[in-house]
Amino acid sequence: MTTSLILTSGHEAAPEAAQIWALAKARRDGDAAPAPAAESLPGVQRRLKVPGAKLIVASASDQAVGFTLFAPRAESLEIFYLAVAPEAWGRGVAAALLASVEEFARGISQTTLDLWVISDNERAISVYQRAGFVDSGELQHDVASGRSERRMIKVLS
C-alpha cells in the first residue's frame, strides 16, 4: 500500500476522521459493528476548535485510511487522536502519521509530543513505543469511556 499524507486545515475531513475512528474503535473493542460515525464526529469537531489544531489524513488510492488530530499546547504538542482503519493496520500508516506530527512540531519549534492512550490498548501502546514515546507514569480516568488512560511522551532530538 502506498500511503500519501494530505494536510487538511479545516473541518472538511472531519466526517472521514470520525468514520475511521468508529471503525478502529469497534475493532479495538471487539464490537460486532462500528457505531455510527455521527457519534464520533462531535469529539473530532470539538478538538478541531482548539487553537492551532491540525488534522492530517492518510490516504491510499484516494481513500482515507488513517488520521491524526493534534494541537500545540504551552509545553508540548498534544495528539488528541491517532486512528487507522482496520484494513490498513500493520501497513505503516500510524508511523507515517506520527512522522508528520513530528515534522509539524519541529516546524513550530516544539520539542515535546504527548498523548493519552487507553491503558489496556496494547496495540496502540506498541505503536507509540516503536515511535519513541515513553510512559510518563501519569494515569487518568476517562469519564466518557470509563477507562483508565496513561500519558505517553516523546522528546524530540
Side-chain angles (χ1 to χ4, degrees):
M1 170 186 288
T2 301
T3 304
S4 61
L5 295 179
I6 302 165
L7 180 61
T8 308
S9 59
H11 294 153
E12 64 270 7
E16 289 175 303
Q19 179 64 36
I20 292 167
W21 184 257
L23 292 168
K25 184 178 175 293
R27 177 70 64 88
R28 175 196 74 201
D29 294 344
D31 297 342
E39 289 182 17
S40 300
L41 188 56
V44 171
Q45 291 172 326
R46 180 174 56 87
R47 293 301 193 176
L48 279 169
K49 292 178 183 175
V50 172
K54 298 290 179 199
L55 175 63
I56 296 177
V57 176
S59 298
S61 304
D62 294 326
Q63 179 180 351
V65 294
F67 81 99
T68 187
L69 175 54
F70 55 90
R73 300 300 204 170
E75 297 184 15
S76 68
L77 185 74
E78 184 175 359
I79 300 171
F80 302 122
Y81 286 95
L82 177 73
V84 176
E87 68 270 11
W89 284 4
R91 297 186 181 177
V93 176
L97 287 165
L98 288 170
S100 288
V101 173
E102 285 187 35
E103 182 180 328
F104 181 86
R106 286 188 173 93
I108 62 168
S109 301
Q110 186 56 261
T111 59
T112 305
L113 305 177
D114 77 311
L115 55 86
W116 290 92
V117 60
I118 294 172
S119 294
D120 64 357
N121 189 345
E122 294 177 17
R123 181 179 189 85
I125 291 168
S126 177
V127 166
Y128 298 132
Q129 288 173 333
R130 282 193 306 273
F133 284 80
V134 295
D135 191 333
S136 72
E138 295 174 70
L139 297 173
Q140 71 178 12
H141 180 78
D142 182 65
V143 177
S145 71
R147 296 170 105 170
S148 172
E149 295 180 330
R150 67 181 61 205
R151 183 173 183 234
M152 297 188 77
I153 298 172
K154 180 174 183 177
V155 178
L156 303 176
S157 52

